[in-house]
Amino acid sequence: MKKMDLKRRKNCKGQILTEYVTMAVMAFTIVLVFLFLLAVFAEYNWRMTALLGWEP
């Protein structure tokens, strides 16, 4: 009984670590995409504003 309990706890710790790492990677990816879009908008601000403001 104790061996089964210990094994279950060990798997649970691994799952928690995996979830934390996954969340950290996803947060880092979102920050990178945000910074990329911010850089693109800062570089091409006039072009994007003209495209959005253009009326056919």
Side-chain angles (χ1 to χ4, degrees), residues 29-46:
T29 304
I30 289 170
V31 168
L32 281 179
V33 168
F34 177 72
L35 289 175
F36 173 73
L37 290 174
L38 191 63
V40 168
F41 187 72
E43 183 71 27
Y44 299 106
N45 186 16
W46 62 272

